[in-house]
Amino acid sequence: MTGASYDMLRVERVTLGRDAAETAAAEMDRIGAKRALIISSGTLARETSEIESIQSALGDKAAGLFTSCRAHSPQDDALAVAEAARTADADIFITVGGGTIIDTTKVAQLCVTEDIHDLDALGQYALGRAGVKDLKTCGPVYKRQIAIPTTLSAAEFTALGGATNIDTRVKEAFTAPDFVARSIIYDPRLCTNTPMDLWLSTGIRSVDHAVEGYCAKAASPAIKGSFVQSLKMLARSLRTTAIDPNDLTARLNSQEALWLGSMGRSYVTMGASHGLGYILGGAFGVPHGVTSCVMLPAVVEWNADTIGREGRTELAQALSGKASDDPADLLRTLMEDLGQPHTLAAVGIKESDWQKIADMAMQNFVVLSNPRTISGPDDVFEILKIAA
């Protein structure tokens, strides 16, 4: 018998289907926080009244607003958010947006906690950075997040924050247990402001979490069921939203599925779809969710023998297919139904880029955690060929 232990997520509360502004104010009162720095997407702040509504609900507890986070979370943005928090004397962050907003704020939390003011000092905390012999770890995070996600990236449920090294274009990971949001507010009405392609592609990111979580080396029966149910709900609800963007029940079902699929993510390491996606995003600018649209079917096909017949059957049925169907093909059908790209060519990646991707992949611990062992660049080339 082999023993195991699991650390539970440090999320205190998840609220579903209630008004985001009113709930954020109530959570501030519950937590006892007095000054919130709001970090939101610029589009939400400029083109809608949603951020104004949150500020109004918070009253004098709204201490500042930051709207300049860029895609793929450049590390200097995290420094800027941390400085804004210091200037505002904030004791909590409220994030309103997708994975970029949430991840940038996680790294800003690190900067505030450890009094980091420059990129060199921040690099001492980057997991796996070449040349860092004595990796520093983040102390207890007292200024945490209330997350109001507007996409389905699920960044709010992880203790990892990804931020791109602005010199190397490598997306690096930073971690602390309390990077997981303290409180998460899912308001499907707010999410109708999210561009449809972004909503659906990040929905595939959550599909990626469910599939790679199910297939992960450390996946146990205790968590596999949650990944399967998450996949079932996402496959249905995303298709419904693609047909009717104003169906709030479908959007809420996607958010519930995201939550369900996130319960087991802290117990496993994702595989090559995620790892190669980090490279496509950081080095080639492919949007976060779109990387999963492109890489997941190819990785599932390459992993087929390792997933096994029983696993392939369970994945196929969760994707509304027959037991004998190929889950990789069902995933491609899902991308087509949602109008999402699922080839490298469709996102501008050329065969001449493959060597760089393969070389970077062999330095990426998530790629190397793939359930079927990736032993060298040739294996990465095989995956890229399938995805071409």
Side-chain angles (χ1 to χ4, degrees):
M1 181 177 70
T2 302
S5 62
Y6 301 98
D7 294 326
M8 304 304 290
L9 289 172
R10 300 187 182 186
V11 179
E12 291 179 2
R13 177 171 290 182
V14 177
T15 303
L16 293 155
R18 294 179 181 169
D19 179 77
E22 293 176 3
T23 307
E27 284 299 277
M28 287 276 289
D29 290 341
R30 180 184 70 84
I31 291 167
K34 302 299 183 184
R35 295 181 63 80
L37 176 65
I38 301 169
I39 305 96
S40 84
S41 74
T43 302
L44 270 179
R46 290 189 305 270
E47 299 181 11
T48 77
S49 61
E50 304 293 357
I51 304 305
E52 225 174 83
S53 295
I54 293 171
Q55 290 173 311
S56 178
L58 295 183
D60 59 9
K61 291 183 179 180
L65 174 64
F66 188 97
T67 62
S68 300
C69 293
R70 293 167 290 171
H72 304 298
S73 307
Q75 291 173 14
D76 52 348
D77 281 3
L79 292 173
V81 171
E83 189 55 39
R86 296 184 187 105
T87 300
D89 192 25
D91 58 2
I92 199 161
F93 297 89
I94 295 180
T95 51
V96 191
T100 288
I101 304 295
I102 294 169
D103 270 9
T104 301
T105 302
K106 290 177 188 177
V107 184
Q109 289 173 280
L110 166 63
C111 295
V112 170
T113 302
E114 296 297 314
D115 197 28
I116 295 168
H117 295 264
D118 61 75
L119 293 171
D120 288 340
L122 179 58
Q124 298 295 312
Y125 295 82
L127 300 181
R129 181 182 288 194
V132 177
K133 296 179 181 178
D134 299 312
L135 179 70
K136 293 186 177 180
T137 57
C138 183
V141 176
Y142 297 108
K143 299 181 181 183
R144 294 185 64 191
Q145 283 193 52
I146 295 173
I148 306 174
T150 60
T151 72
L152 297 167
S153 71
E156 61 272 16
F157 271 113
T158 74
L160 279 175
T164 301
N165 183 314
I166 61 175
D167 293 323
T168 65
R169 303 304 304 164
V170 172
K171 197 164 193 179
E172 297 175 320
F174 301 83
T175 188
D178 287 330
F179 283 174
V180 173
R182 184 171 182 177
S183 177
I184 301 169
I185 300 168
Y186 289 124
D187 179 353
R189 184 204 57 77
L190 175 66
C191 298
T192 58
N193 295 291
T194 303
M196 183 55 63
D197 276 349
L198 180 58
W199 180 262
L200 296 176
S201 65
T202 57
I204 296 300
R205 190 65 169 181
S206 281
V207 168
D208 201 348
H209 296 149
V211 173
E212 290 216 304
Y214 177 88
C215 298
K217 293 176 182 178
S220 69
I223 59 175
K224 279 194 168 188
S226 66
F227 289 129
V228 169
Q229 184 61 26
S230 174
L231 186 57
K232 285 180 181 178
M233 293 174 67
L234 285 164
R236 294 170 186 166
S237 61
L238 291 173
R239 284 185 167 103
T240 301
T241 303
I243 295 168
D244 181 3
N246 293 314
D247 188 328
L248 297 186
T249 299
R251 287 185 185 265
L252 186 61
N253 286 343
S254 291
Q255 291 174 316
E256 289 180 300
L258 176 160
W259 178 19
L260 186 60
S262 295
M263 289 181 174
R265 281 176 60 205
S266 62
Y267 307 146
V268 297
T269 302
M270 298 287 113
S273 178
H274 275 74
L276 291 170
Y278 298 147
I279 295 166
L280 294 180
F284 295 90
V286 180
H288 189 62
V290 174
T291 65
S292 290
C293 298
V294 172
M295 293 313 311
L296 182 59
V299 170
V300 168
E301 181 175 328
W302 194 78
N303 284 339
D305 289 344
T306 303
I307 296 171
R309 180 178 296 177
E310 182 179 342
R312 294 196 302 273
T313 294
E314 196 157 21
L315 290 175
Q317 291 174 329
L319 288 162
S320 302
K322 301 187 295 293
S324 59
D325 286 341
D326 181 352
D329 287 339
L330 292 172
L331 286 166
R332 293 184 181 100
T333 299
L334 177 60
M335 310 308 170
E336 290 167 0
D337 289 349
L338 301 181
Q340 297 302 305
H342 55 83
T343 66
L344 291 168
V347 296
I349 302 298
K350 304 177 181 64
E351 190 170 351
S352 57
D353 298 320
W354 291 7
Q355 188 63 58
K356 179 179 179 180
I357 294 170
D359 291 342
M360 294 177 73
M362 297 316 297
Q363 306 300 318
N364 186 290
F365 77 94
V366 182
V367 173
L368 300 180
S369 298
N370 192 64
R372 177 182 170 186
T373 300
I374 293 177
S375 56
D378 286 349
D379 291 336
V380 179
F381 267 78
E382 288 181 7
I383 296 172
L384 296 176
K385 187 175 182 179
I386 296 170

